[in-house]
Amino acid sequence: MQPWAAEMQQQLQKLNTQNAGAYCLPQHAIPIAMSFPYKIYQTKDAIVSLTEFVTPGWRQIFMDGRPHPPADEWNPAWLGHSIGRWEGDTLVIDTVGYNEITPGFAVHSEKLHVIERWRRPDRGRLEIEVTATDPDAWTGEHKFSFA
């Protein structure tokens, strides 16, 4: 983390404000990363994921080839703006436009950029790899994966 972000993270930890769900706010920038039941629906132009017990509970991923809107025309949002594409059997989701208080990635700025790679190696398993960058708040990238 950049020094300002590390200091802010330390202050937030002292206040114990890490549970956004207690305030009925979104709990993670990537809802599928939480351990709540979810469903995924795919159409020709979009993928929508529905997650139980989460506010707002849905996320849309545009699959119609559109780009992200220009930053000066996008109102930063809890779940950002997601576009997706297929690379073989892997769904690549590119998300920008998060607000600076979206939980799930510690302290960050509105320049948070997240790339998810979803792969389904067999019928009962979904593997997700996440790479997040934020040049204003972090000194490097943050990577994690889960299945």
Side-chain angles (χ1 to χ4, degrees):
M1 291 184 149
Q2 299 286 358
W4 72 265
E7 183 178 333
M8 184 180 287
Q9 182 71 29
Q10 190 175 43
Q11 294 299 320
L12 289 171
Q13 287 173 335
K14 285 180 186 176
L15 294 172
N16 195 21
T17 60
Q18 300 300 309
N19 184 3
Y23 301 99
C24 296
L25 297 172
Q27 299 166 14
H28 203 290
I30 304 171
I32 201 168
M34 298 182 299
S35 59
F36 296 122
Y38 61 86
K39 287 186 177 184
I40 299 170
Y41 295 94
Q42 181 177 355
T43 69
K44 182 176 69 90
D45 296 330
I47 293 174
V48 176
S49 67
L50 303 174
T51 308
E52 288 190 37
F53 307 111
V54 177
T55 300
W58 59 271
R59 175 187 183 202
Q60 60 185 347
I61 303 157
F62 297 104
M63 300 291 292
D64 57 4
R66 74 181 67 187
H68 290 298
D72 62 344
E73 294 178 15
W74 175 256
N75 185 22
W78 288 103
L79 299 180
H81 182 272
S82 299
I83 56 176
R85 68 182 183 282
W86 287 100
E87 290 181 0
D89 66 349
T90 301
L91 173 63
V92 179
I93 304 167
D94 182 317
T95 307
V96 298
Y98 292 104
N99 65 37
E100 64 184 13
I101 56 176
T102 297
F105 286 99
V107 172
H108 62 274
S109 74
E110 290 180 358
K111 290 190 180 170
L112 176 63
H113 184 188
V114 177
I115 302 289
E116 300 163 65
R117 301 180 71 78
W118 295 17
R119 193 172 148 277
R120 188 176 174 190
D122 55 56
R123 185 170 173 84
R125 196 167 41 139
L126 182 64
E127 296 176 344
I128 301 176
E129 176 186 291
V130 179
T131 303
T133 58
D134 185 336
D136 282 1
W138 306 340
T139 57
E141 65 183 18
H142 176 67
K143 283 189 164 192
F144 65 92
S145 59
F146 55 95

